[in-house]
Amino acid sequence: MNKPIKPPQDDVAGPSARHQTTQVMVGNVAVGGGAPIVVQSMTNTDTADIEGTIAQVAALSRAGSEMVRITVDRDEAAAAVPHIRDGLRKRGITTPLIGDFHYIGHKLLTDYPACAEALDKYRINPGNVGFKNKRDTQFADIIEIANKNDKPVRIGANWGSLDQELLTKLMDENTASAAPRDARAVTREAMVQSALLSAARAQELGMPKNKMILSAKVSAVQDLIAVYQTLASRSDYAIHLGLTEAGMGSKGIVASSAALGILLQEGIGDTIRISLTPEPGGDRTLEVQVAQELLQTMGFRTFVPLVAACPGCGRTTSTTFQELARSIQDFIREEMPGWKTQYPGVEALNVAVMGCIVNGPGESKHANIGISLPGTGETPAAPVFVDGHKFRTLRGPSIAADFKALVIDYIDQKYGAGAKKPEAVTAAE
């Protein structure tokens, strides 16, 4: 369990102390209460497609997703859930499964008790769990089933499916007040109240606080920040962060990183999901990679070795350093699932691939292992540095392959069985 992060001292910038929340166990994963911030993701397969869903959950888990959510929207999907769980267990995958329920979750959990038992957590949206008189009874049904199966729930309010009765009530009160606020501020308040009122109701129904995670997901960055700041200020429930409908490509990555980065810096958030719209035929695991890189870049967790590479300029007209940086980075990410057990601690490795002599040698010295490739007009030689010391200079057409071999050798010697210190540390050209 992580210790709370200390506030920054003097002029040194750093994250705020973690917002103290109640820890929730989701399967074998701790969320909140000072535990490391958890990365989660969601499948986009038809859950009724058992083999397809197993394959995608396995891919997400292999990429580093520590919890995976699946849609449970109809009878066929609910019936498939225990088979999906069993198929994953046969593959040795114990990643917790979360059931995403809307509208008829109470019915599906009642009609398919094996589904209720197989899932590690239920996601409830208070905006569509039921309407008018049915809302309380259908919400209560889900909480009762969760209590019976000893399962936690996420109560997730969403901007796009907000409780309209609550919103109308708050809008009417706002209109009648002496100093009315703008409509967006009232809507943000409705989001927070929706989550907190539902959590309070769940507690009345016998669900303890350590079985609840709250979220209030919005698609606009500033609204999301404001909503979560308010939610955190009013409660100590574990918090799930995510910018909903973030979008595709760089837009979704930038928007999610901007919103979540600010909240994480303020100590808010116990588990995160980056909700990216995948490119047609794109890889769903990208959202896991972005979440990991956000947490690692901000210094909260370490997942994979970092590859530092310069952006390129007129000095680096050759594409060699770009190709090598990409090759090393792809190779590391592909090998990490196996390296986690074979090379304990390898995620802390830093590799530098630089394109010219301006910053190349300096950056390479700061990395565990780095190379400074020749830029335009420079001598066709590439010095390699290991743990701050010059090791050797590579030359010729095989520079890229030779450096990759050195990286592999370094990992094996430093993190492999026996963890011998690489000879490169003491060897110099």
Side-chain angles (χ1 to χ4, degrees), residues 98-396:
I98 302 164
D100 195 59
F101 294 99
H102 299 277
Y103 303 108
I104 60 170
H106 64 291
K107 183 177 185 302
L108 294 174
L109 288 167
T110 300
D111 293 347
Y112 296 89
C115 169
E117 184 276 328
L119 292 168
D120 294 287
K121 186 176 75 173
Y122 312 152
R123 187 279 173 112
I124 311 170
N125 184 338
N128 61 33
V129 70
F131 301 98
K132 298 188 181 296
N133 296 333
K134 293 182 178 180
R135 177 183 292 108
D136 287 344
T137 57
Q138 293 178 181
F139 179 81
D141 288 343
I142 297 177
I143 297 300
E144 181 181 344
I145 294 168
N147 285 336
K148 178 182 176 181
N149 287 279
D150 195 29
K151 306 291 184 179
V153 300
R154 170 161 71 97
I155 296 174
N158 192 291
W159 191 268
S161 52
L162 187 54
D163 182 340
Q164 291 302 302
E165 288 185 42
L166 175 61
L167 179 59
T168 299
K169 173 179 175 289
L170 293 180
M171 286 291 187
D172 289 345
E173 291 175 355
N174 184 62
T175 301
S177 69
R181 297 179 294 170
D182 67 71
R184 293 190 78 84
V186 177
T187 305
R188 291 196 295 264
E189 175 65 20
M191 289 280 293
V192 174
Q193 286 200 26
S194 178
L196 291 177
L197 289 170
S198 296
R201 176 57 179 151
Q203 284 191 259
E204 291 174 1
L205 294 166
M207 175 162 282
K209 189 174 286 188
N210 67 357
K211 290 292 184 181
M212 282 184 276
I213 298 172
L214 302 190
S215 67
K217 300 177 80 171
V218 184
S219 58
V221 170
Q222 295 296 340
D223 287 324
L224 187 89
I225 293 168
V227 164
Y228 273 104
Q229 287 172 332
T230 303
L231 183 62
S233 72
R234 295 185 190 175
S235 74
D236 63 351
Y237 293 100
I239 290 178
H240 166 113
L241 289 186
L243 183 77
T244 192
E245 292 97 33
M248 182 180 288
S250 61
K251 185 269 179 185
I253 293 171
V254 170
S256 293
S257 299
L260 272 59
I262 289 171
L263 291 166
L264 291 168
Q265 186 74 3
E266 294 181 357
I268 299 170
D270 299 300
T271 177
I272 67 171
R273 186 214 168 184
I274 304 294
S275 301
L276 296 180
T277 303
E279 300 284 347
D283 188 348
R284 189 67 166 180
T285 62
L286 177 61
E287 65 177 46
V288 179
Q289 181 179 334
V290 173
Q292 288 182 331
E293 290 179 355
L294 174 62
L295 292 175
Q296 184 156 341
T297 299
M298 295 190 69
F300 289 104
R301 292 189 63 184
T302 303
F303 296 97
V304 296
L306 291 175
V307 179
C310 66
C313 65
R315 286 178 172 271
T316 57
T317 53
S318 167
T319 61
T320 302
F321 85 96
Q322 298 164 318
E323 293 163 356
L324 180 57
R326 182 176 62 186
S327 173
I328 293 291
Q329 187 162 281
D330 290 347
F331 172 72
I332 286 173
R333 188 162 287 279
E334 288 169 6
E335 295 296 325
M336 268 307 292
W339 284 355
K340 286 179 182 178
T341 54
Q342 186 178 1
Y343 299 118
V346 70
E347 63 273 7
L349 176 73
N350 286 307
V351 181
V353 180
M354 308 303 292
C356 75
I357 61 172
V358 175
N359 293 314
E363 290 289 349
S364 295
K365 288 177 182 178
H366 288 305
N368 295 112
I369 180 168
I371 187 170
S372 179
L373 292 160
T376 304
E378 294 175 9
T379 302
V384 174
F385 297 84
V386 174
D387 291 333
H389 301 275
K390 187 176 179 182
F391 174 47
R392 69 174 58 154
T393 299
L394 301 178
R395 294 182 174 86

